[in-house]
C-alpha cells in the first residue's frame, strides 16, 4: 500500500493527471483532438525535470501521463525513455513499477519503437512480477498483470487467471 503521508493530499502531478484525464475523456470521440491533446501533454511532460519528482504517487502519475501520450503514438520513444528514468528512481514502489510495466507492455506489443529498442516479453513480465512481489495487497497491480498475461495468449491463461483471482479477492476485502 501507499505510505500514509503520500495518500493524504494529491501532489501537483497527480492534480495535473486528473485534469488531463478529464480532457482526454471529453475528447474520446474525436481522434484528432485526442492526438492534439497527447501532443500538448507530451510538451508539458518534457518540461518536468525527472529529478524533481519526489514521491511515488507523483512518479506513478507522471508514468501514467507518459503512457497516455505514447498510446496515441505521440513522442513514444521519448515517453518510453522518461518512463524508464522515473521507474528507475522509484524501483522500490510497486505502483510505479506496475505503471511502467504497462508502458513496457505497450512498447513490446506495438510498432511505436524500432524493434531493437522494444522491451522483451521477459522484461515486461519481470516488471509485473517485481511489482506484485513488492505489494501483495494492491489489486490494481494484479489486475494489470492479469491483463498482460491474458494478452499473451492461451498458454498464459492460467497465469492471467491467478492474477485476476488475486485481484478480485483483494478488491472484496
Amino acid at each position: 500500500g501507499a505510505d500514509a503521508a503520500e495518500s493524504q493530499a494529491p501532489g501537483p502531478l497527480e492534480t495535473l493527471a486528473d485534469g488531463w484525464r478529464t480532457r482526454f475523456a471529453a475528447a474520446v470521440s474525436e481522434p484528432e483532438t485526442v492526438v492534439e491533446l497527447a501532443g500538448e501533454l507530451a510538451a508539458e511532460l518534457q518540461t518536468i525535470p525527472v529529478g524533481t519528482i519526489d514521491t511515488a504517487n507523483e512518479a506513478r502519475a507522471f508514468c501514467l501521463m507518459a503512457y497516455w501520450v505514447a498510446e496515441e503514438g505521440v513522442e513514444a520513444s521519448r515517453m518510453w525513455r522518461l518512463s524508464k528514468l522515473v521507474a528507475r528512481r522509484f524501483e522500490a514502489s510497486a505502483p510505479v513499477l506496475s505503471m511502467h510495466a504497462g508502458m513496457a507492455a505497450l512498447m513490446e506489443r506495438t510498432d511505436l519503437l524500432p524493434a531493437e529498442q522494444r522491451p522483451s516479453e521477459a522484461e515486461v513480465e519481470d516488471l509485473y512480477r517485481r511489482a506484485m512481489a513488492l505489494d501483495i495487497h494492491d489489486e490494481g497491480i494484479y489486475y494489470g498483470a492479469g491483463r498482460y498475461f491474458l494478452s499473451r495468449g492461451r498458454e498464459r491463461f492460467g497465469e492471467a487467471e491467478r492474477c485476476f483471482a488475486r485481484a478480485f479477492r483483494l478488491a472484496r476485502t
Side-chain angles (χ1 to χ4, degrees), residues 4 13 17 20 29-30 41 47-48 50 62 67-68 70 77-78 88 90 93 96 98 111 117 123 133 136 140 166 169:
L13 291 178
W20 278 101
S29 63
E30 304 167 30
L41 179 54
T47 68
I48 300 168
V50 171
F62 184 93
Y67 178 91
W68 292 338
S77 180
R78 184 166 285 140
R88 209 171 286 135
F90 291 88
S93 168
V96 174
S98 179
D111 293 331
Q117 292 178 18
E123 289 169 312
I136 61 170
R166 175 87 177 143
R169 273 194 309 277

Side-chain angles (χ1 to χ4, degrees), residues 4 13 26 36 39-40 44 49 60 93 98 106 115 125 135 147 155 158 161-162 168:
L13 291 178
E36 288 173 22
E40 291 174 31
E44 190 163 354
R60 185 189 175 287
S93 168
S98 179
L106 175 68
E125 185 174 325
D135 190 343
R147 287 185 58 200
E155 66 276 355
E161 181 182 25
R162 283 188 289 282
F168 296 144

Side-chain angles (χ1 to χ4, degrees), residues 5 28 35 55 59 66 72 79 90 96 100 125 142 153 156 167 169:
V28 75
V35 172
T55 70
E72 295 305 322
M79 294 300 111
F90 291 88
V96 174
H100 181 61
E125 185 174 325
Y142 284 90
R156 303 309 295 275
R169 273 194 309 277

Side-chain angles (χ1 to χ4, degrees), residues 40-103:
E40 291 174 31
L41 179 54
E44 190 163 354
L45 290 176
Q46 291 174 63
T47 68
I48 300 168
V50 171
T52 65
I53 300 171
D54 56 3
T55 70
N57 287 344
E58 293 283 280
R60 185 189 175 287
F62 184 93
C63 289
L64 176 62
M65 289 184 287
Y67 178 91
W68 292 338
V69 170
E71 187 177 38
E72 295 305 322
V74 176
E75 298 280 352
S77 180
R78 184 166 285 140
M79 294 300 111
W80 171 237
R81 283 193 306 275
L82 288 171
S83 182
K84 285 194 299 188
L85 287 171
V86 172
R88 209 171 286 135
R89 286 193 64 227
F90 291 88
E91 64 186 345
S93 168
V96 174
L97 273 185
S98 179
M99 189 66 246
H100 181 61
M103 173 73 98

